[in-house]
Amino acid sequence: GLSSSSRLRLLTSAGGLVSPAAFMGKDSVLSGPAGGVVGYAGVARAAGFSRAIGFDMGGTSTDVSRFDGRFEYEYETEKAGIRLVTPMMAIQTVAAGGGSLCQFDGVKLIVGPGSAGAEPGPACYGRGGPLALTDANLLLGRIRPEQFPLPLDEQAALEQVSGLIERIEQATGKCYQPRELADAFVRIANSNMAEAIRSVSVARGYDPAQYLLVAFGGAAGQHACELARQLGIRQILNHPDAGILSALGIGLADVQRHVERGIYKPADQIDRDTLAAVIQELRDQARDQVLQEGVPVGEVTTRLSIDLRYLGMDGGLTITQPTGKEAEDWLD
């Protein structure tokens, strides 16, 4: 049990710690990946970089995000067809991980979204599992069996690939070599992951070539160099704690509260004094919640951002301002 001096806190999808009483299910959807964002931002800063792209590749999926001195948030998001109105780190997820199934659907090769999971795991785990991305990397020499935490069965992976080669030849007439087919699956996964990174960088007006790529999670090291090449990224950080960076990030996270208010009026019709009063009210509300968590007064900071939309548009543009005088000048 917890000692009397310990305080239990939980991480939210926005990357902030809250007490159990303030935590709700909708806050937890991306809480693990959010820990990864805090973690990679921390190690990138420690290494002297102010801009980084996080590439977190695990067993079933890859999470990517961008950090440029501050975290990017979304307040309304759609995940798996469900609209969530809750603060979240801006994280893009694709179904490409070490356990992602490598299959042929009768017409083309596909990677994911299904996964071999931990049990039975990829074919090379020797437990009768299906062909997965880990098998493809093993056959290409990208995994060193002597460094792996369990014995790997390369023959089992080869048998799965050979069976697939026969199916593809019967359906299309094309005959692959085992390594050639493994490479094709790896290239498909890389393409999917590069597209996800473009969606958090190029699609938002940022050039990935100006960022450091932080590769973490269990499988990222096998794909980081090729992704960097595709995106024009020149530097990769592979941290010694890459495998546990999300957990490290939870330890580095701050106590946080997000409060928001919808105004829904044209900008030129908003009274500045009213707006300033709303901002002050929100600032006090968030500050009080953080103080209730036991954070010393001198350590509390607030940050203001305003979401603007063109009339009739669903997509918003977030204008983030520092706290204090600059924000007030901006409102005048």
Side-chain angles (χ1 to χ4, degrees):
L2 294 171
S3 71
S4 57
S5 62
S6 298
R7 298 190 66 163
L8 177 63
R9 289 200 173 110
L10 302 165
L11 193 79
T12 69
S13 303
L17 297 172
V18 299
S19 63
F23 190 78
M24 298 172 72
K26 66 183 177 68
D27 299 328
S28 68
V29 176
L30 287 181
S31 57
V37 177
V38 178
Y40 87 74
V43 299
R45 273 190 299 219
F49 295 89
S50 58
R51 291 175 165 183
I53 285 172
F55 165 47
D56 175 5
M57 184 178 180
T60 56
S61 64
T62 292
D63 300 305
V64 300
S65 57
R66 184 181 57 81
F67 174 76
D68 59 3
R70 58 174 47 139
F71 300 116
E72 190 173 7
Y73 298 101
E74 294 171 337
Y75 293 92
E76 277 188 44
T77 49
E78 194 172 295
K79 298 290 177 191
I82 297 169
R83 184 172 283 278
L84 292 162
V85 183
T86 187
M88 286 187 172
M89 294 263 192
I91 298 168
Q92 189 71 24
T93 302
V94 284
S100 292
L101 301 181
C102 296
Q103 297 171 308
F104 173 66
D105 67 0
V107 178
K108 63 185 182 299
L109 303 178
I110 50 173
V111 177
S115 173
E119 185 65 52
C124 62
Y125 282 19
R127 295 198 288 258
L131 186 69
L133 205 50
T134 295
D135 298 307
N137 278 313
L138 178 65
L139 294 174
L140 291 169
R142 294 175 176 210
I143 294 174
R144 293 171 60 189
E146 68 274 14
Q147 298 284 352
F148 216 76
L150 54 97
L152 295 179
D153 184 350
E154 193 167 345
Q155 193 56 39
L158 203 52
E159 284 169 15
Q160 287 285 343
V161 167
S162 301
L164 200 55
I165 286 171
E166 285 177 26
R167 276 190 52 219
I168 294 168
E169 190 175 4
Q170 285 168 6
T172 68
K174 178 168 175 56
C175 183
Y176 280 97
Q177 293 300 312
R179 284 176 61 90
E180 186 188 6
L181 183 59
D183 183 60
F185 282 124
V186 167
R187 282 190 287 125
I188 291 166
N190 286 342
S191 175
N192 292 342
M193 293 186 290
E195 197 51 46
I197 291 175
R198 288 190 190 99
S199 75
V200 299
S201 56
V202 178
R204 298 184 185 191
Y206 301 93
D207 180 2
Q210 296 175 356
Y211 286 75
L212 169 76
L213 185 68
V214 184
F216 64 106
Q222 296 155 28
H223 296 261
C225 292
E226 182 52 37
L227 280 183
R229 263 194 289 272
Q230 284 191 33
L231 297 160
I233 295 173
R234 291 180 291 278
Q235 290 176 299
I236 299 169
L237 176 62
N238 194 9
H239 195 268
D241 291 327
I244 56 165
L245 212 55
S246 294
L248 183 73
I250 295 173
L252 293 172
D254 294 322
V255 172
Q256 254 183 30
R257 282 293 189 279
H258 290 253
V259 290
E260 63 270 340
R261 180 81 52 85
I263 295 177
Y264 307 114
K265 282 185 180 176
D268 57 2
Q269 290 178 23
I270 297 171
D271 176 66
R272 293 305 164 106
D273 290 340
T274 306
L275 184 58
V278 167
I279 288 167
Q280 192 56 51
E281 185 188 333
L282 292 175
R283 200 170 262 158
D284 291 344
Q285 197 180 329
R287 189 181 171 84
D288 288 347
Q289 289 178 17
V290 171
L291 291 174
Q292 282 170 18
E293 288 273 6
V295 177
V297 177
E299 292 180 18
V300 181
T301 58
T302 56
R303 179 173 290 155
L304 163 70
S305 67
I306 295 182
D307 277 9
L308 301 174
R309 300 179 186 185
Y310 285 108
L311 195 62
M313 294 284 283
D314 189 39
L317 183 66
T318 301
I319 311 294
T320 304
Q321 280 290 339
T323 57
K325 190 170 184 309
E326 282 180 79
E328 283 146 27
D329 289 349
W330 178 61
L331 291 170
D332 292 336

